[in-house]
Amino acid sequence: MTIWKLYDAIEQALALLALIGTVAAVLTAGIGRSIGAPVTSAPQFAQLFLIWTCMLGADLAMKRGETIRVSALPDLLPPSGRRLLSLLSLALMLPFLGFLAYLGWDLAIGNWQRELGGSGLSYGLVTLALPVGAALLALTLVRRVLSLGVDAAFEPVLPDLGAPGTDRDPNPAPGHAPGLAAGHSTEDLL
Amino acid sequence: MISALILGLALTLIIIGMPVAFAIGIAGTAYFLLPGTFLPDSTAVQRIVAASQSFPLLAVPLFILLGNLMNSSGITPRLVGLATVIAGWMRGGLAQSTLILSALMGGVSGSAVADAAMQARILGEPMVEKGYDRGFTAALLAIGGLITATLPPSLGLILYGYLGEVSIGRLFIAGIVPGMLLLMVLMIATWGVARQRGYKPETERLPTLREVGHELWRSFWAVLFPIWLLIGIRFGFFTPSEAGAFAVAYALIVGTLIYRELTPAKILDAMVQSLRDIGMIMLIILFSGTFGYVITFERVPQSIAEVALTALSDPTVLLFVIAGFLMVLGMLVEATVLVMLLTPILVPVVTAAGIDPVHFGLVMMTLVTFGGMTPPVGVSMFTVCGILRCSYRDYSIQMLPLVAAVLGMVTLMILFPGLVMFLPNWLM
Amino acid sequence: QDYSLNLSTSQTLQDPLVIAMQGAEERIEERSEGRMEVTIYPSSQLGEDNDVLEQIRSGAPIAALVDAGRLAPFLPELGILAAPYLVDDYTEYAAITESPVYEEWVGQLAEESGIRLLNYNWFQGTRQMFTQDKVETPEDLGGVRVRTIDAPGWVATVEAMGATPAPMAWSEVYSALQLGAVDGAEAQLTGAYGIKLHEVSNNVAFTNHIQLFTGLATSESWFAELPEDLQAIVTEELKAAGEEATRETVAKLAEVQAEMEAAGVEFNEVDIAPFRDRVDVVYKKVGLVEAREALAPYLPRRSEPAAPAPRRRGRKPAAPGEGEHDHLETL
Ligand code: NA
Ligand code: NA
């Protein structure tokens, strides 16, 4: 279990770095240009950090079952029906993630010589976020199924996956009201 | 034909409860795996990566982070105080001040749900205690979020602009007038309800200049926020896509140095929460890259445009028909999902009909966001009713005057495009 | 039909290049007696150029209109085709693409990257300098932030010319110029007209720094599998379309310039020599010195210093370059 805690902590730390990097790169782009010294590769760094933020963030969300979905139909069904639908979803999602991981890896290696704008970075670093993210998501799904069962695979329960010390305070922030949705467990940010 | 199958597959997967990102991603990828398709499979993967490589799209994570930082930095509670003083003297003063608050929040938050949830927690029970009907309170707080989502910045408009390749700067500026009009029509509707039911003002008299001044002073840095952003964009310190990063820096400075409420622990907390929010919403955007490619490759927008434009040659009629269609779908389907699926299809259609995509964007986003506040499926409704423990039936009945106000407003927007367009045309 | 060919470009539907493609579509379908179906995807509908090239390398039946800068990562020598002040006039490109050196590069590209460059004769215009204040010498560009394409060759060119390069998305140029986030942009007249740069800039200097040509690149494996007669039809018709597109583009130039002048934009000729002298460093920086030497026998003799730049007024702008650009850019 401690191994998993360490794993979760490292993943979260990397995700935080990517987020901070995104903000810093965009700030650098804007400030540099306003003072007449544009940092030409700042936008590329922003986009590199962006995709890593997205993929790692998606996995952090999946770990807690925070995912946008429409649960009206599953919620109407008896537990056996719900389990069946959940199984069906998983049976498609896991191979899909495998497909992304496999071909994404190929793609990242295959276009390593493609440049990310004028930054001198390889576009492969951008592409790599997808296969890595897909592998992490697949792992998370398997962990959730093993610890919560098939029917709760996408439910927004707080799983004991060893989320490292960042649990929200008891009053969830505005916009996040887990578990209120009668017939619906979706969160929507718009 | 094939695209109809793919769309059907996506909807089926969504209905069986698969996370939306995966439903859209799997349906799009299926196209590449069909035996008749001679496109390489790796293209399906490439489109997902490519979806992330848009500089304007950076605004989405930045404004999500901003929203979470605002709540822990002490900016939000100060705006509540200001709104209460400004609108407290009106009939139904407390109700009116929640609408003013939505407008104040509009300058910084892009999310209707976040606005409604925040207000329901802070103002919901106090309103019920003062004698406001529980259902009306819930409906007002939920629908007030529409003002927040229409005024710039708006997450919905960012998404729309990104997917439809429409200028996000122009969309933002175009949102100002509809946002203020929404504020007005909702205040009028609230005034009508308050009069009929005898809801009282909060205070006996108009606020004195001193009181307003005091609250303005207390919330000075918070009120300055949107003004500061607009000035920054107007004078070229940053582009609209970069504004989010500057706003984040501003919230950090105000929260830590001026209000001194933002501790390192709170910042970390806000960032971790933002990461999950970003991942949740961006995964849909990324995975829909493949789906969008299929729609394009099969030339779906062109086919629909041909049919629609042959049948409906008048742009206003076309807009009304599309609006009706969006309203019905919006009642049933999540705003995010609708925007993802329909923007790339509808923007070329309306553009071909001679409708400005900025004008259409405001109409579309108002309707689909509003759909989240109506039964049978609506996240704002679920959120607010959940917090206030109010029945969906009460909510639905009490919301009717507000619904009339919103629909009247949308009709005006369709009939008089100038209402939406004159500001962006004048400024940009 | 037995075969399908999908043409991809970042240009919009109304652009002369796309109109020329439509002509080719008709003639290919007719001459192949329906054995080949052609579909055109304008406005980067299939993705930005680098992404489409990636699809092509995986064997997709697509031909994409790309500038040489996009191909440079696969064969650095090709970057020369988008290098600054390579020739004095766009008509001189024909001599380059008919040279054995070019032929050899095309063969090498196909072999090493799987990309078959079908032609390189789609002229989009000559790249010019859009600014607020009049520009006549490199010194006038001192401290001026000029939007350019985000690729090493372009950034180096703008820097060498005396300005401060500020790469950003093509879709953001208009508002950036209007709001003062940048002070200028380099672009070809037609592309600039498309995004209304004349509304937000006061002056255009005919710096003529890059001739913006593009060519159709397709999948070598797909092309090799076509029957010979279809190969010939595709090659001939697409080349003819490129010539037609060039004629149309050149014809449109004067028209666009007049429209811009009517909108209040001033145009001025500049003495090109001081700019040209400064860009030598670009060739060294991006490693194109040898490629230029290899091409030298086929390049027309330089008219050298003396003559300011009276030649082509109103020739178009444009020049593509390496790497990434923006989505909508016509480049
Ligand atoms: Na807003
Ligand atoms: Na609804």
Side-chain angles (χ1 to χ4, degrees):
Chain A
M1 207 56 204
T2 36
I3 284 267
W4 286 120
K5 278 200 169 161
L6 183 66
Y7 162 86
D8 290 336
I10 291 176
E11 182 186 7
Q12 181 174 304
L14 290 175
L16 281 168
L17 279 182
L19 179 61
I20 293 168
T22 309
V23 178
V26 178
L27 278 177
T28 309
I31 293 173
R33 209 189 39 248
S34 322
I35 62 173
V39 181
T40 53
S41 53
Q44 275 65 53
F45 274 93
Q47 303 210 209
L48 171 62
F49 286 128
L50 172 67
I51 187 169
W52 282 95
T53 306
C54 296
M55 293 313 300
L56 294 173
D59 190 44
L60 295 185
M62 184 64 88
K63 279 182 183 167
R64 298 168 58 115
E66 289 176 9
T67 174
I68 298 181
R69 64 187 275 262
V70 178
S71 62
L73 176 65
D75 289 351
L76 283 177
L77 297 176
S80 59
R82 207 175 310 162
R83 188 167 312 133
L84 192 72
L85 289 186
S86 213
L87 256 183
L88 183 57
S89 289
L90 284 167
L92 289 168
M93 286 163 69
L94 286 171
F96 173 64
L97 288 170
F99 173 88
L100 294 184
Y102 177 71
L103 284 180
W105 176 259
D106 256 15
L107 205 60
I109 301 307
N111 60 29
W112 207 261
Q113 74 236 70
R114 173 170 163 188
E115 279 178 32
L116 179 54
S119 60
L121 293 170
S122 165
Y123 190 74
L125 288 172
V126 170
T127 312
L128 197 58
L130 182 65
V132 171
L136 294 176
L137 280 166
L139 183 58
T140 298
L141 281 175
V142 172
R143 283 172 75 194
R144 283 186 69 94
V145 168
L146 291 180
S147 65
L148 300 168
V150 168
D151 8 4
F154 318 119
E155 295 293 324
V157 273
L158 301 184
D160 185 18
L161 293 173
T166 51
D167 279 351
R168 324 269 322 283
D169 48 318
N171 282 331
H176 301 278
L180 346 135
H184 202 270
S185 70
T186 311
E187 292 198 54
D188 186 333
L189 289 167
L190 294 191
Chain B
M1 186 54 217
I2 286 189
S3 22
L5 280 177
I6 301 289
L7 185 65
L9 177 59
L11 290 175
T12 311
L13 293 178
I14 288 173
I15 289 168
I16 70 165
M18 182 185 282
V20 169
F22 286 87
I24 296 181
I26 290 173
T29 302
Y31 175 83
F32 290 84
L33 304 178
L34 290 174
T37 315
F38 37 73
L39 286 170
D41 293 351
S42 63
T43 300
V45 179
Q46 179 206 65
R47 298 324 300 163
I48 294 174
V49 176
S52 74
Q53 296 303 296
S54 155
F55 196 72
L57 192 61
L58 279 162
V60 175
L62 294 173
F63 280 111
I64 290 173
L65 175 59
L66 177 65
N68 283 319
L69 279 175
M70 298 251 321
N71 294 322
S72 8
S73 63
I75 291 175
T76 311
R78 283 170 174 78
L79 291 176
V80 174
L82 177 62
T84 315
V85 169
I86 294 178
W89 58 276
M90 292 177 215
R91 208 174 249 291
L94 197 49
Q96 302 286 16
S97 59
T98 68
L99 292 171
I100 298 271
L101 178 60
S102 291
L104 288 173
M105 289 300 296
V108 274
S109 161
S111 160
V113 184
D115 180 65
M118 181 271 291
Q119 295 204 25
R121 281 209 186 80
I122 301 176
L123 298 167
E125 285 305 330
M127 281 182 69
V128 176
E129 278 162 24
K130 299 239 167 171
Y132 288 87
D133 180 279
R134 197 171 275 276
F136 178 72
T137 304
L140 185 73
L141 293 177
I143 294 178
L146 195 53
I147 303 171
T148 311
T150 309
L151 288 171
S154 154
L155 278 183
L157 288 176
I158 293 173
L159 271 190
Y160 171 86
Y162 163 69
L163 292 162
E165 291 188 352
V166 179
S167 158
I168 291 168
R170 279 173 65 83
L171 284 167
F172 274 9
I173 293 178
I176 295 176
V177 171
M180 298 317 285
L181 285 176
L182 265 175
L183 173 64
M184 276 168 46
V185 295
L186 287 175
M187 284 181 86
I188 292 170
T190 302
W191 177 81
V193 171
R195 209 181 113 108
Q196 188 200 345
R197 301 185 190 170
Y199 292 149
K200 295 276 180 303
E202 271 311 280
T203 48
E204 296 299 312
R205 50 174 179 81
L206 284 168
T208 61
L209 267 183
R210 225 188 99 120
E211 286 163 340
V212 175
H214 176 76
E215 282 303 321
L216 262 178
W217 178 245
R218 234 175 63 87
S219 56
F220 178 74
W221 297 103
V223 173
L224 207 62
F225 203 111
I227 299 172
W228 195 85
L229 278 188
L230 284 178
I231 290 178
I233 292 176
R234 181 65 193 84
F235 289 97
F237 298 126
F238 38 78
T239 64
S241 351
E242 290 163 358
F246 283 84
V248 165
Y250 184 80
L252 281 172
I253 292 170
V254 171
T256 51
L257 300 181
I258 300 175
Y259 294 160
R260 296 170 186 271
E261 290 180 23
L262 201 54
T263 59
K266 279 184 174 177
I267 296 177
L268 183 68
D269 211 40
M271 289 211 298
V272 171
Q273 180 56 45
S274 303
L275 273 170
R276 291 196 291 260
D277 291 347
I278 292 166
M280 193 166 75
I281 191 164
M282 291 293 292
L283 196 65
I284 301 185
I285 298 183
L286 264 53
F287 281 5
S288 68
T290 310
F291 192 88
Y293 186 87
V294 172
I295 298 283
T296 309
F297 200 80
E298 290 288 315
R299 305 173 63 80
V300 175
Q302 288 86 340
S303 320
I304 294 185
E306 275 162 28
V307 175
L309 297 181
T310 324
L312 306 161
S313 50
D314 184 76
T316 310
V317 176
L318 178 70
L319 203 47
F320 270 113
V321 170
I322 295 181
F325 171 73
L326 284 174
M327 198 180 70
V328 174
L329 278 181
M331 292 173 71
L332 300 167
V333 186
E334 293 309 330
T336 328
V337 180
L338 267 191
V339 177
M340 302 301 311
L341 289 179
L342 295 183
T343 304
I345 298 177
L346 290 179
V347 168
V349 174
V350 298
T351 309
I355 299 167
D356 191 306
V358 172
H359 178 217
F360 178 68
L362 265 298
V363 172
M364 172 164 171
M365 286 318 305
T366 307
L367 284 170
V368 300
T369 311
F370 180 57
M373 298 152 189
T374 67
V377 179
V379 185
S380 285
M381 176 182 77
F382 293 140
T383 306
V384 173
C385 287
I387 295 171
L388 287 181
R389 286 167 293 108
C390 113
S391 80
Y392 299 135
R393 187 172 162 276
D394 263 6
Y395 175 99
S396 308
I397 295 171
Q398 297 292 328
M399 77 185 294
L400 290 177
L402 304 171
V403 171
V406 171
L407 293 185
M409 160 69 201
V410 172
T411 309
L412 282 180
M413 280 165 71
I414 295 177
L415 288 178
F416 306 103
L419 278 181
V420 181
M421 295 307 300
F422 92 91
L423 256 194
N425 285 343
W426 180 51
L427 286 175
M428 307 193 59
Chain C
Q1 83 290 348
D2 316 322
Y3 299 93
S4 84
L5 169 60
N6 302 282
L7 297 175
S8 163
T9 173
S10 57
Q11 306 296 320
T12 57
L13 197 55
Q14 301 79 24
D15 194 275
L17 281 75
V18 176
I19 294 168
M21 280 182 177
Q22 288 164 342
E25 169 183 6
E26 215 167 89
R27 290 191 300 273
I28 292 175
E29 286 175 355
E30 188 186 301
R31 277 183 65 189
S32 70
E33 286 156 353
R35 280 185 300 147
M36 177 168 280
E37 190 194 7
V38 181
T39 313
I40 300 167
Y41 296 92
S43 305
S44 296
Q45 287 175 359
L46 297 184
E48 62 115 357
D49 293 346
N50 279 327
D51 287 330
V52 180
L53 277 180
E54 202 172 283
Q55 295 164 26
I56 286 171
R57 293 183 69 208
S58 313
I62 298 175
L65 197 57
V66 295
D67 63 85
R70 310 292 183 153
L71 303 172
F74 307 107
L75 191 77
E77 288 87 344
L78 283 173
I80 191 84
L81 297 173
Y85 297 114
L86 178 68
V87 295
D88 287 340
D89 193 281
Y90 80 98
T91 53
E92 294 163 4
Y93 262 71
I96 297 176
T97 53
E98 277 156 22
S99 72
V101 181
Y102 172 84
E103 282 300 313
E104 195 181 308
W105 288 341
V106 169
Q108 214 177 328
L109 177 71
E111 200 170 297
E112 288 172 14
S113 70
I115 298 172
R116 161 67 48 184
L117 187 56
L118 291 170
N119 50 51
Y120 200 76
N121 63 344
W122 300 66
F123 183 56
Q124 298 194 19
T126 307
R127 219 66 177 179
Q128 315 291 12
M129 201 59 79
F130 286 71
T131 51
Q132 306 307 352
D133 301 320
K134 191 170 182 182
V135 169
E136 291 180 298
T137 65
E139 286 68 38
D140 294 338
L141 282 173
V144 178
R145 293 165 301 175
V146 171
R147 183 273 167 182
T148 186
I149 291 169
D150 181 25
W154 288 90
V155 170
T157 299
V158 168
E159 199 167 17
M161 290 172 73
T164 306
M168 66 168 59
W170 181 245
S171 53
E172 286 195 21
V173 181
Y174 181 94
S175 65
L177 260 176
Q178 178 183 43
L179 302 170
V182 295
D183 315 305
E186 50 93 25
Q188 71 278 20
L189 294 195
T190 41
Y193 187 71
I195 57 163
K196 306 194 172 131
L197 285 196
H198 51 284
E199 293 177 5
V200 291
S201 49
N202 303 324
N203 198 275
V204 178
F206 283 115
T207 48
N208 293 313
H209 48 282
I210 297 180
Q211 306 294 334
L212 180 53
F213 267 91
T214 46
L216 278 169
T218 192
S219 156
E220 170 70 359
S221 60
W222 171 80
F223 188 74
E225 279 170 23
L226 285 184
E228 255 175 48
D229 61 325
L230 284 186
Q231 277 185 357
I233 293 173
V234 166
T235 310
E236 288 162 22
E237 291 303 339
L238 291 179
K239 184 163 185 235
E243 284 159 10
E244 186 195 329
T246 300
R247 277 193 303 275
E248 290 299 316
T249 299
V250 171
K252 210 170 159 189
L253 180 66
E255 202 180 299
V256 167
Q257 184 179 341
E259 294 274 356
M260 287 186 168
E261 276 168 343
V265 178
E266 305 264 347
F267 285 76
N268 68 288
E269 299 289 341
V270 300
D271 175 7
I272 283 169
F275 289 102
R276 188 161 60 200
D277 292 345
R278 283 167 154 251
V279 301
D280 263 354
V281 59
V282 177
Y283 287 82
K284 293 193 192 88
K285 209 182 255 176
V286 290
L288 290 172
V289 175
E290 283 172 27
R292 179 157 65 169
E293 275 162 17
L295 274 186
Y298 309 98
L299 294 176
R301 256 273 160 73
R302 258 258 141 91
S303 39
E304 268 333 299
R311 326 165 203 102
R312 51 223 130 110
R313 224 220 116 135
R315 192 94 336 101
K316 248 68 114 328
E322 17 246 287
E324 237 2 303
H325 357 175
D326 351 286
H327 235 200
L328 299 172
E329 171 139 35
T330 317
L331 244 239

